[in-house]
Amino acid sequence: MLKFIDKLFGDANEKFLKTLEPQINAINEAEQKFLKQTDEELKAESLNLKQQIKDGTKLDDVLVPAFALVKVAAQRTLGQRHYDVQLLGGIVLHQGQIAEMKTGEGKTLTSTLAIYLNALAGQGVHVITVNDYLAKRDAVWMSKIYSFLGLSIGVISHESAFVYDTSHSADKNLDSQVKIAMDYLRPVARKEAYAADITYGTNNEFGFDYLRDNMAQDAARQVQRGLHYALIDEVDSVLIDEARTPLIISAPAEQSTDRYSQFAQIIENLKVNEDYNIDEKMKACTLTEEGLIKMEKLLGVDNIYESHGMEIIHHIESALKAKTLFAKDIDYVIKDNEIIIIDEFTGRMMPGRRYSEGLHQAIEAKEGVEVQRESMTLATVTFQNYFRMYTKLAGMTGTAATEAEEMAKIYHLDVTVIPTNKAFIRDDRADRIYKNYRGKLKSIIKEIKERHEKGQPVLVGTISIEKNEELGQLLEKAGIPHQLLNAKFHEKEAEIIAQAGRRGAVTVATNMAGRGVDIILGGAPFDQVKYDEIISLGGLHVLGTERHESRRIDNQLRGRSGRQGDIGSSQFYISMEDDLMRVFGSDRMKNVMDRLGLAEDMPIENKIISNSIESAQKKVEGHNFDIRKHLVEYDDVINKHRQVVYNSRQQLLQIFSDKEHKSEKTSQDIVLDYVSQEIENVISFHTLGEKNVGDFDPKEILETLKAIFILDSQEENKIKELLTQNGRSNSHDNRDKIIEYIISIAKEKYLKLTEEINTNVSLADNTWTPMQIIECSMVLRSIDTLWVEHLTAMDKLRTGIGLQGYGQRDPLVEYKREAFGLFNSLLDAIRKQIVYSVFKVSLKRNAVANNPSQARPGESQKVFEEQKQGYQPFQKQVANREVQHKAVSNKPKNQAGEIIGRNDLCYCGSSKKYKKCHGK
């Protein structure tokens, strides 16, 4: 049907590319003019373009000269010239689309066109890669072009930040495939790297820096400077494969870790298919009725649910998952006595990332490493919502057309397929399918040996570290020299990849070698004689030892061969015992293999089985798409909360970053707005009802106001009088009189308090007054602490909301409804915490003032420092884990050992609320 439509109306992709031809011709004409100019003249042209943009010229209006400048700069610095198809890719990227370019077509060089043009705006361009190695490699490699044209370059990695050091630009030619020439990168503060015109880094680092910036207590500590234009390399990996897991910043909570070790031992008594069942498709594990009975006997209880509640069930489920669904050297590795997660799509370690809901602790207990305390979420965001915050987003990959629908729906990104520069001649052979795993391995070793002896380089792809090392041992036994590349040897990655194309090379790699790496035929540095020799042997052969759940990951592995029109070949070896086939394959496939009666190392090529393999992959891809869609639907709800909260705290930080005090609002205005809102809410709440319904209580109103600030007898009598005259009336005018009078008292008292504190406390830095510092600290502390509690409440709501389905209700609709109530409660709680605290800042200092004989020199200053310490930045509290833990432990608790809230009954037995008794 689609082919018929294309024939009838023409291919839409081709039509769009034809509209770009005039621009391509204009760029090539401008290139000829620039080729005649000196280096200094070209730099002057670049500065001129930058000034034009500053003066208001649109980026589209300078696209032609900008692209032409980059073409010439690439020739003079790298000895490479952009092809016309790369110019097409550059225009597509500038327009905020996804450019699908076959692997080996020079996506990195293509990206320089759009990156340079958008960097001229001076707002910063973020270039996102899939790992730190590629970020550094591409930055160093392409920085020669950017620095030649007068732009600065930064690099963000997991623990460091760098800028490109132009003093090395005239050194020896850098071969980017050999190694990262760290001499070209100078370590700097993270903020300086973001201040560069162009900043390279990974999606994780950009996302986490965004979250950390929105936890900062000072604008000077924020590192990013806005989200303007982002260009994502391997965009399908970043926006699809990795988008199933949100970014989370957490801190240790108070829960004990002892039970994880206990349950790790208890679970060993359970038997699969007897005490518990495993659903590998859904990655779930559940106790059977027999398993529950056995657990009750082991724990010595009659009914787990009645005796221990959901906490014990949580520990049992976590221990079961850790034992049955997560395996060492497949899902994680142990390094320096820590469990480090392995990314299933890239095969790389993800230090600092932890499984949630106690699963990570359960794995630590299973492996016998130190069990860390459970965590509480401080900040979180999904990749979907993070990248949708950029003003303009673009991406490039070799495999995006199949995901065009998801890209359009979630990110509003169109996909344009860019034609290849040379004819594509790689030989992608049909899968070899074996009866069992052992037979497959025998054939793989035989195939590798034959090609190695012939001299043809072979890249062998494995889907896990475990399989990677197993194959390495078999090759060693067979006497075949080889190189292993997995997350454990990531330090040698550049060196191993650089030589993977030399004569006779055998490289066994995980998915690390599947994206973004160029394997030079003949080995690095490039040698024409060695290159021709490898071409005569058939080029690089890619051997996949197993199908991945995602077809795109398989295609990326194939893409290491046959780049830029080179000859090459690829083939996958599959057995009916592979995880994908075992879990998602159909019984029909197994029956076909059994009926044929083949030997274990005898392969077949069967269309039914091949189709079933693709069908199994589509099932998994569909399931993963549902997970991502589900994730973003729920995160869209909390994203609105996040925007309001982050905007509120950013408003305050901006006030304090304004050293010249030009902001329209001050911190005092913000606090007084909160006070006015709370007073209005209190009065309205107690006076909005109809007459004689018993909801009007002047005494309660006065008690509430006294909880905010102290009233003298004259003020109290005046409020009583106003309430008596106007309180029961439903007239808005009468109610407004009461509100206006009380707000005027509040402002007068607050201004007096501010004057007293500022008069009695002196600071070395007089940019801000003492009261302004207290206001900022108090508001930020209230927002941050209550935001964390809100995230915890939202997590609990999300966990249990699925049960609404049993009541014939849509869980997502119910989640939105409940979330709305929780968010309103959050805003109320933030306001109340600030209002009911701010007038009490000076109580201790006033006590000293009322007894001058007790005052000592510097007492007021000391008290101020103590009060300021009381409102210290929330991150500081979290960072000092032990101090935080003790502080929580010292809070008043009831007989059950639970911390008492302000509205709980007091521990003394007075039957009063804690806030009106010992917590007053």
Side-chain angles (χ1 to χ4, degrees), residues 363-381:
I363 294 173
E364 289 169 333
K366 163 191 163 185
E367 296 292 351
V369 303
E370 182 184 355
V371 180
Q372 305 293 326
R373 289 209 302 271
E374 284 196 48
S375 59
M376 59 178 178
T377 301
L378 303 183
T380 179
V381 68

Side-chain angles (χ1 to χ4, degrees), residues 303-317:
N303 188 313
I304 287 178
Y305 292 93
E306 288 182 3
S307 303
H308 290 74
M310 293 308 295
E311 183 185 354
I312 295 301
I313 300 301
H314 162 73
H315 281 290
I316 293 172
E317 290 177 347

Side-chain angles (χ1 to χ4, degrees), residues 2-43:
L2 289 175
K3 289 182 179 178
F4 172 74
I5 292 173
D6 284 344
K7 284 182 180 179
L8 190 63
F9 298 104
D11 185 280
N13 193 83
E14 286 184 14
K15 280 187 173 182
F16 171 70
L17 293 177
K18 280 188 178 294
T19 64
L20 303 181
E21 286 182 4
Q23 284 181 292
I24 302 300
N25 295 331
I27 292 166
N28 290 329
E29 287 177 15
E31 176 196 8
Q32 297 306 311
K33 183 188 80 171
F34 288 143
L35 282 171
K36 299 171 185 176
Q37 296 185 356
T38 64
D39 292 356
E40 288 70 25
E41 287 173 332
L42 291 176
K43 290 176 182 177

Side-chain angles (χ1 to χ4, degrees), residues 18 35 83 181 533 627 669 901:
K18 280 188 178 294
L35 282 171
Y83 302 118
E533 180 186 16
I627 292 174
D669 294 333

Side-chain angles (χ1 to χ4, degrees), residues 674-682 708 831-832 835-836:
Y674 281 127
V675 172
S676 299
Q677 288 171 24
E678 182 61 19
I679 290 171
E680 187 172 349
N681 282 355
V682 169
I708 300 176
R831 184 184 66 250
K832 286 179 183 296
V835 172
Y836 288 85

Side-chain angles (χ1 to χ4, degrees), residues 498-593:
Q499 301 306 324
R502 61 181 168 78
R503 180 184 174 88
V506 176
T507 308
V508 184
T510 57
N511 296 338
M512 288 175 69
R515 282 188 184 269
V517 296
D518 292 320
I519 297 176
I520 298 175
L521 299 186
F526 178 79
D527 183 296
Q528 188 65 48
V529 175
K530 292 180 180 178
Y531 169 82
D532 291 338
E533 180 186 16
I534 300 301
I535 289 293
S536 68
L537 293 170
L540 177 70
H541 180 67
V542 171
L543 193 157
T545 61
E546 197 168 339
R547 283 285 195 177
H548 193 273
E549 288 183 354
S550 169
R551 289 169 295 170
R552 287 177 294 103
I553 304 299
D554 292 340
N555 291 335
Q556 286 288 345
L557 179 63
R558 287 189 193 273
R560 299 313 101 197
S561 175
R563 300 166 75 84
Q564 286 286 355
D566 286 340
I567 192 171
S569 56
S570 70
Q571 191 165 37
F572 278 86
Y573 283 58
I574 297 166
S575 87
M576 300 309 294
E577 294 176 350
D578 291 346
D579 289 342
L580 181 71
M581 306 301 293
R582 183 174 52 78
V583 177
F584 292 96
S586 66
D587 293 333
R588 185 172 55 171
M589 288 189 280
K590 297 173 186 175
N591 294 334
V592 169
M593 297 296 285

Side-chain angles (χ1 to χ4, degrees), residues 111-181:
S111 68
T112 57
L113 299 159
I115 292 169
Y116 169 74
L117 174 58
N118 284 273
L120 291 174
Q123 295 177 309
V125 171
H126 292 172
V127 185
I128 289 90
T129 64
V130 292
N131 58 65
D132 285 341
Y133 162 71
L134 292 177
K136 293 175 185 175
R137 185 203 74 174
D138 293 353
V140 172
W141 187 12
M142 297 297 112
S143 287
K144 290 185 173 291
I145 296 175
Y146 305 134
S147 61
F148 180 86
L149 295 173
L151 298 182
S152 56
I153 303 92
V155 181
I156 301 292
S157 66
H158 179 55
E159 295 178 345
S160 312
F162 309 89
V163 292
Y164 181 72
D165 191 348
T166 55
S167 64
H168 292 273
S169 59
D171 291 355
K172 62 185 183 305
N173 276 335
L174 170 68
D175 187 339
S176 65
Q177 303 304 322
V178 179
K179 61 181 179 178
I180 298 299

